Amino acid sequence: MDADYKWVDGIPFPTLIVENLELLRDEFVVKDEDVITLSYPKSGTTWLLEIISLIHSRGDPSWVQSVVTWDRSPWVEGVDGYEAIRKHRPEKGPRFYTSHLPIQFFPRSFFNSKAKAIYIIRNPRDIITSGYFFWKGMKIIKSPESFEQFFQWFLQGNVTYGSWFDHIRGWLSMRGKDNFLVVAYEDLHQDRRGTVELISQFLGCKLTPEELSSVLKNTSFQVMKDNKMSNFSQLPDTIMDHSKAQLIRKGITGDWKNHFTLAQSETFDKVYEEKMAGLPREAFPWE
Ligand code: A3P
């Protein structure tokens, strides 16, 4: 049976997160050397993480081929991830971790640190589409019964991690800070080479042409789909029903056009216009 959510301050979270989010926010110590992957779920988190991992290993694929994503960059708000990060030994190099937390729940010490964080954004219509197909197979989340139902939940913010509109508004307030980079899923599609170069520059790791080629080769859709360390096929059956969903599903931009009805498209546009008021629209390549 599907799990329901854990509600904190009116936001639905997956039940696998730490018991006390406030404690995580107030007591987790972010270090200046940390590298943090941030996103609203289904924005291309795993793609970004693969790029960060391969930049760190200078294009050598052995790390991404031998260690699953959640061990390379544990989920800070997850029960196991939180423990893994706390136990990280400094001699192993910088800590990498991932979070889907809305900004108001993120460890406060980050905001006074030099830790580098990259936030990936994606057309919310494609996030709905990707999410619908993914959450159907996840046993830790309340599964939608129909696309229309999930569409309505998304607009109401009754989906895991709450409202996309609030998430993006919160994190984009960090835009322009030296230790915060925003990248878009659509940019990775349009110019993966340029976007990888931007990320490597941000991380202070200039790659040789050969290293860059290897990063590009190993972050292609097909290579990632076949990499069992990155495609979630290693997630236990108790968490994911692999017959119902795949993480690396279609990997395109604009798939929403194959699934939204005209009425959904119009409803979405109306809500989008209202909720995005005042945000830096030039940051959104899907517009
Ligand atoms: P789709 O469901 O639209 O295919 P997240 O990691 O945040 O859960 O995001 C998952 C989405 O990123 C999925 O979108 C997945 O296919 C896509 N993705 C992952 N790796 C990709 C890659 N190398 N190229 C293109 N899309 C990728």
Side-chain angles (χ1 to χ4, degrees):
M1 210 183 78
D2 290 333
D4 209 330
Y5 296 118
K6 174 181 164 121
W7 292 81
V8 186
D9 290 352
I11 297 181
F13 290 99
T15 47
L16 288 182
I17 62 162
V18 291
E19 181 66 26
N20 192 332
L21 269 186
E22 284 84 1
L23 204 66
L24 173 72
R25 181 186 61 201
D26 297 340
E27 300 201 344
F28 181 85
V29 181
V30 172
K31 299 181 182 171
D32 287 344
E33 311 75 43
D34 293 349
V35 179
I36 310 164
T37 299
L38 297 170
S39 69
Y40 186 86
K42 311 318 297 170
S43 303
T45 326
T46 316
W47 200 5
L48 172 61
L49 177 58
E50 203 80 343
I51 290 168
I52 293 175
S53 304
L54 280 152
I55 290 173
H56 177 66
S57 66
R58 309 206 69 102
D60 177 351
S62 45
W63 195 32
V64 301
Q65 288 170 353
S66 59
V67 182
V68 285
T69 51
W70 53 90
D71 285 342
R72 264 184 267 142
S73 180
W75 183 38
V76 71
E77 63 269 28
V79 181
D80 297 342
Y82 180 60
E83 269 319 296
I85 298 164
R86 278 162 33 107
K87 287 187 187 142
H88 178 89
R89 295 197 313 275
E91 63 271 20
K92 293 190 90 182
R95 302 187 303 182
F96 292 84
Y97 45 90
T98 303
S99 179
H100 293 311
L101 286 173
I103 193 167
Q104 69 272 26
F105 286 98
F106 199 71
R108 288 205 169 123
S109 55
F110 167 64
F111 303 99
N112 293 316
S113 78
K114 295 195 178 86
K116 290 184 174 160
I118 308 180
Y119 184 60
I120 184 160
I121 58 174
R122 185 183 191 185
N123 186 337
R125 299 166 185 86
D126 283 333
I127 292 180
I128 296 181
T129 310
S130 179
Y132 170 68
F133 287 105
F134 184 69
W135 301 126
K136 278 205 301 190
M138 290 301 274
K139 298 180 180 172
I140 53 164
I141 303 284
K142 198 169 154 191
S143 293
E145 279 164 19
S146 65
F147 192 86
E148 170 63 17
Q149 185 184 50
F150 187 66
F151 177 83
Q152 295 298 341
W153 286 354
F154 187 93
L155 290 187
Q156 292 152 10
N158 278 336
V159 282
T160 186
Y161 289 95
S163 160
W164 175 84
F165 299 99
D166 294 346
H167 203 280
I168 192 160
R169 186 175 291 275
W171 279 113
L172 285 184
S173 66
M174 293 289 291
R175 205 163 153 253
K177 300 253 189 315
D178 286 348
N179 63 338
F180 192 82
L181 180 70
V182 180
V183 299
Y185 181 90
E186 289 75 13
D187 291 338
L188 280 172
H189 260 280
Q190 231 201 330
D191 179 13
R192 187 145 45 96
R193 175 179 291 271
T195 312
V196 167
E197 281 177 328
L198 182 74
I199 296 170
S200 63
Q201 196 180 12
F202 174 73
L203 295 177
C205 184
K206 190 164 168 26
L207 301 173
T208 65
E210 294 73 29
E211 290 166 348
L212 177 59
S213 300
S214 177
V215 175
L216 296 176
K217 177 173 156 230
N218 287 290
T219 54
S220 73
F221 180 76
Q222 201 53 50
V223 169
M224 282 187 63
K225 195 172 174 64
D226 294 341
N227 181 357
K228 61 182 193 306
M229 296 298 148
S230 311
N231 64 13
F232 273 33
S233 59
Q234 304 300 301
L235 263 195
D237 295 341
T238 45
I239 295 184
M240 183 170 179
D241 181 341
H242 297 280
S243 68
K244 286 195 186 156
Q246 284 184 316
L247 174 81
I248 318 263
R249 186 187 61 97
K250 211 160 175 185
I252 61 169
T253 58
D255 191 33
W256 67 274
K257 292 178 193 150
N258 299 317
H259 299 281
F260 276 38
T261 61
L262 184 60
Q264 284 167 341
S265 177
E266 286 172 3
T267 304
F268 190 88
D269 288 351
K270 197 159 163 280
V271 175
Y272 184 90
E273 279 310 312
E274 280 163 21
K275 300 235 182 195
M276 298 296 274
L279 283 178
R281 308 287 282 256
E282 72 283 359
F284 310 135
W286 56 84
E287 291 215 355

